[in-house]
């Protein structure tokens, strides 16, 4: 993504102008995700409206706009979870594992059931589902699920306002304010684990431009 950029904003005029648009995307023509057994539904809505005009004729003007995005459906995710044998303490699918109390390998690479922690088993059963993808005994990418939110932001708002004022024929002022508010519910490594966050950016600018002569102009922001 861009590290920095320059932005030029619109300003109003004596005439009133306005516009609006709506953009829609969906999964009707999308292909199925490679690992997903079915096509994951997808919907994207984007709305924008803007209006500009005068507050005081020939002197004070405004420009305002608002963009909103909504992505209400989920996304298909994959994860690597313990195999059915691992959940029973059987690690014959992996390399040798050793008894931490003796330093010797467990017989047959199987941890005895009486050595399995009841707390660990409860956590495993709560957070780690059983495999549902791939061949029996697959060790990686063996579980898939539909996360209830989009994998990136699931909605966003971008309001914008600019005011321009002509002080004299040689001096003008403008004020610009804009905001970005985008909440996220991003998936974790398994369905019950997820992260919530939000980006709330605000930016404002005050600028004064003065014409001293035909070849000397000063702009202070």
């Amino acid at each position: 993504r861009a590290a920095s950029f320059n932005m030029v904003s619109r300003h109003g005029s004596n005439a009133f102008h306005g516009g609006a648009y709506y953009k829609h995307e969906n999964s009707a023509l999308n292909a199925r995700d490679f690992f997903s057994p079915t096509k994951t539904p997808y919907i994207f809505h984007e709305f924008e409206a803007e209006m500009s005009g005068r507050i005081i004729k020939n002197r004070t003007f405004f420009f305002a706009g608002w963009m909103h995005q909504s992505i209400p459906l989920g996304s298909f995710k994959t994860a690597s979870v313990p195999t059915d044998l691992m959940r029973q303490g059987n690690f014959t699918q992996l390399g040798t594992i050793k008894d931490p109390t003796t330093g010797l390998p467990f017989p047959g690479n199987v941890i005895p059931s009486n050595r399995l922690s009841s707390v660990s088993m409860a956590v495993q059963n709560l957070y780690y589902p059983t495999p549902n993808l791939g061949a029996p005994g697959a060790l990686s990418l063996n579980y898939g699920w539909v996360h209830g939110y989009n994998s990136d932001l699931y909605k966003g708002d971008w309001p914008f306002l600019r005011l321009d004022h002509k002080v004299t024929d040689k001096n003008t002022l403008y004020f610009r304010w804009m905001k970005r508010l985008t909440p996220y519910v991003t998936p974790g490594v398994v369905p019950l684990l997820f992260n919530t966050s939000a980006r709330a950016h605000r930016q404002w600018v005050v600028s004064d431009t003065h014409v001293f002569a035909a070849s000397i102009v000063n702009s202070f922001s």
Side-chain angles (χ1 to χ4, degrees):
R1 298 182 179 180
S4 63
F5 58 89
N6 294 325
M7 184 178 74
V8 177
S9 55
R10 286 185 176 183
H11 59 80
S13 62
N14 282 324
F16 288 95
H17 296 281
Y21 79 79
Y22 168 69
K23 175 182 176 182
H24 174 78
E25 298 177 15
N26 62 56
S27 53
L29 300 178
N30 286 4
R32 174 181 61 84
D33 289 324
F34 182 82
F35 291 104
S36 176
T38 59
K39 184 166 67 174
T40 305
Y42 176 80
I43 293 179
F44 175 89
H45 303 286
E46 182 175 281
F47 310 82
E48 183 172 357
E50 57 188 42
M51 185 174 182
S52 65
R54 67 178 183 271
I55 298 174
I56 301 174
K57 188 175 182 180
N58 296 327
R59 190 163 295 276
T60 308
F61 314 96
F62 74 91
F63 181 93
W66 193 297
M67 184 176 77
H68 174 77
Q69 288 182 350
S70 176
I71 312 169
L73 297 181
S75 50
F76 185 78
K77 296 296 173 185
T78 58
S80 299
V81 299
T83 66
D84 291 334
L85 290 178
M86 291 178 186
R87 297 172 72 92
Q88 302 167 24
N90 186 327
F91 290 87
T92 53
Q93 295 170 289
L94 301 178
T96 301
I97 60 171
K98 296 181 180 180
D99 186 336
T101 62
T102 65
L104 299 174
F106 280 108
N109 234 27
V110 177
I111 301 174
S113 59
N114 63 351
R115 297 287 301 278
L116 299 177
S117 165
S118 59
V119 175
S120 297
M121 295 297 289
V123 171
Q124 172 185 261
N125 294 333
L126 175 63
Y127 287 105
Y128 287 90
T130 56
N132 64 2
L133 286 181
L139 297 176
S140 63
L141 300 179
N142 55 4
Y143 183 77
W145 81 99
V146 175
H147 176 58
Y149 293 83
N150 186 41
S151 58
D152 197 16
L153 58 93
Y154 67 92
K155 68 175 182 178
D157 287 285
W158 292 264
F160 176 92
L161 174 66
R162 172 168 168 159
L163 300 175
D164 287 80
H165 181 67
K166 182 179 180 181
V167 182
T168 68
D169 288 342
K170 295 185 176 182
N171 188 252
T172 58
L173 299 170
Y174 86 78
F175 168 79
R176 184 183 74 215
W177 174 86
M178 59 189 301
K179 179 181 178 181
R180 166 188 175 168
L181 179 60
T182 50
Y184 298 76
V185 180
T186 50
V189 294
V190 288
L192 287 182
L193 299 178
F194 57 88
N195 303 300
T196 60
S197 60
R199 289 183 175 180
H201 300 169
R202 295 171 181 83
Q203 181 196 85
W204 59 268
V205 176
V206 176
S207 183
D208 175 88
T209 300
H210 192 90
V211 179
F212 290 97
S215 59
I216 303 175
V217 179
N218 180 73
S219 181
F220 177 80
S221 297

